[in-house]
Amino acid sequence: MSDVQTPARRFSITPGDFAREYGVLTIIVILMIGLSLISDSFLTARNLLNIVNQSAPLAIIACALTLVIIGGGFDLSTGAIFGVSSVAAGWIAVHVDPYTAIIAGPLIGFALGTLNGAIITGFGVHSFLVTLATSLVYRGIAILITGGALIPVRIAEFSWIGRGRIGMVNIAVIVLIIFMVIFMVLLNRTTFGRRVFAVGGNEEAAILSGIRTNLIKIVTFSLSGMAAGLAGVIAVSRISMASPQAGIGMEFEAIAAVILGGTSIMGGSGAIWRSVAGVLLMALIGNGFNILNVNPFFKDLTTGVIIVVAVALAASGRRSR
């Protein structure tokens, strides 16, 4: 159910198990070696830090989305929550207070995610359908906030979280690292994390064990919304512009990254660090194709093929158990 193996299994890892556990890291290493041989400009501190910095908002969303998927859910509203939170934060930064805006973004995302979870558990509707519907509603709210226009946010007290640096490292990267560590501890070292695995692995058994499964689901969607809100704040502060169209398609990128990381779309298994590795793999593919000046179509094709292989490996693993 979780990624923790018993001592008996630890020394009998099959090639298929290894591919599922560490395949994404293997592909990343191969890509980095290949790209560094092809281009001198790839394996530089500046380029690598830039890749991580540009990936930070998506990686933050992927961390929280991993909890949702492990718990047996699906969240198609993260892109729309990203959009609502970003324009709301931009509006608050301009008209109220920039520091309040930084806090308001994640809180708004948390509230919208909680609403998702409440509807899913309260009406017993599949999370795929609910979040698909709420994504349309949230996107409409983003347009209402801005009137369909862009909101310039050129305020130093707000832009530091997206543009600021400590040495060579962007503050957004530091935020990502802290966020990832917190979620890894939450998933792997707490009772809540064990219950997320239990709900995704076998919800009926979890109910019989006394786990409040509906509450666990609501919390996972709340955290997913909060992550999307935080990512939206970082993105707006980076580009100094809030757009109601921000985040379109981001939910699919986040889901793809989580699947690339080996988290089962059926729930019950997965890891935060592998989802972040999935985001970095997608970023490396994009960066490599940009360096090589290759048609973007082949980037999407390559990413799609890798995702299909990842899903096939996960499915073969379930059949072999």
Side-chain angles (χ1 to χ4, degrees):
M1 182 165 58
S2 71
D3 287 343
V4 179
Q5 295 179 328
T6 63
R9 292 182 60 197
R10 193 174 297 157
F11 299 101
S12 60
I13 298 178
T14 66
D17 290 333
F18 181 86
R20 285 186 295 274
E21 293 288 332
Y22 305 107
V24 65
L25 287 183
T26 303
I27 297 173
I28 286 175
V29 171
I30 293 172
L31 266 178
M32 292 185 69
I33 293 174
L35 291 172
S36 62
L37 293 175
I38 294 172
S39 172
D40 295 334
S41 61
F42 173 76
L43 200 61
T44 62
R46 181 176 181 179
N47 184 55
L48 294 179
L49 285 172
N50 184 60
I51 291 173
V52 179
N53 180 48
Q54 294 296 324
S55 304
L58 182 61
I60 288 172
I61 293 175
C63 285
L65 187 61
T66 303
L67 293 183
V68 174
I69 295 179
I70 289 176
F74 221 69
D75 194 349
L76 292 176
S77 67
T78 51
I81 293 177
F82 177 97
V84 173
S85 300
S86 62
V87 296
W91 189 93
I92 293 171
V94 172
H95 296 93
V96 182
D97 177 72
Y99 294 107
T100 302
I102 294 174
I103 298 172
L107 289 179
I108 291 170
F110 184 89
L112 297 178
T114 301
L115 179 60
N116 282 342
I119 294 172
I120 291 165
T121 57
F123 293 95
V125 183
H126 195 281
S127 56
F128 182 95
L129 297 175
V130 171
T131 56
L132 177 61
T134 56
S135 67
L136 300 176
V137 175
Y138 297 159
R139 187 64 66 184
I141 292 173
I143 294 173
L144 287 175
I145 292 173
T146 64
L150 302 177
I151 301 177
V153 193
R154 299 183 181 91
I155 303 173
E157 292 82 0
F158 181 77
S159 62
W160 64 270
I161 192 170
R163 293 189 174 190
R165 292 186 179 185
I166 298 178
M168 289 185 61
V169 182
N170 292 81
I171 291 176
V173 174
I174 297 173
V175 171
L176 166 61
I177 293 172
I178 294 172
F179 194 88
M180 181 178 68
V181 170
I182 290 173
F183 270 68
M184 287 176 67
V185 172
L186 184 65
L187 181 62
N188 300 313
R189 304 295 181 186
T190 68
T191 300
F192 170 77
R194 290 191 290 273
R195 289 177 176 174
V196 171
F197 280 114
V199 172
N202 190 325
E203 185 173 354
E204 292 184 5
I207 293 173
L208 293 175
S209 300
I211 296 175
R212 299 171 64 184
T213 57
N214 284 347
L215 178 60
I216 297 298
K217 290 180 181 180
I218 291 173
V219 173
T220 60
F221 280 96
S222 298
L223 294 175
S224 179
M226 181 196 68
L230 175 60
V233 169
I234 292 174
V236 171
S237 64
R238 177 182 294 164
I239 65 175
S240 300
M241 188 72 68
S243 168
Q245 303 301 319
I248 290 179
M250 204 170 194
E251 63 274 16
F252 299 113
E253 293 180 17
I255 291 170
V258 174
I259 293 173
L260 276 175
T263 296
S264 172
I265 58 175
M266 304 302 293
S269 67
I272 300 294
W273 70 267
R274 292 210 306 264
S275 295
V276 175
V279 172
L280 295 179
L281 173 57
M282 292 171 63
L284 282 173
I285 292 172
N287 184 260
F289 276 81
N290 288 337
I291 289 176
L292 299 175
N293 197 27
V294 178
N295 189 322
F297 165 78
F298 293 103
K299 170 203 163 187
D300 296 334
L301 178 63
T302 303
T303 305
V305 169
I306 293 174
I307 291 172
V308 170
V309 172
V311 172
L313 286 172
S316 65
R318 286 195 300 273
R319 287 194 297 268
S320 65
R321 290 187 178 93

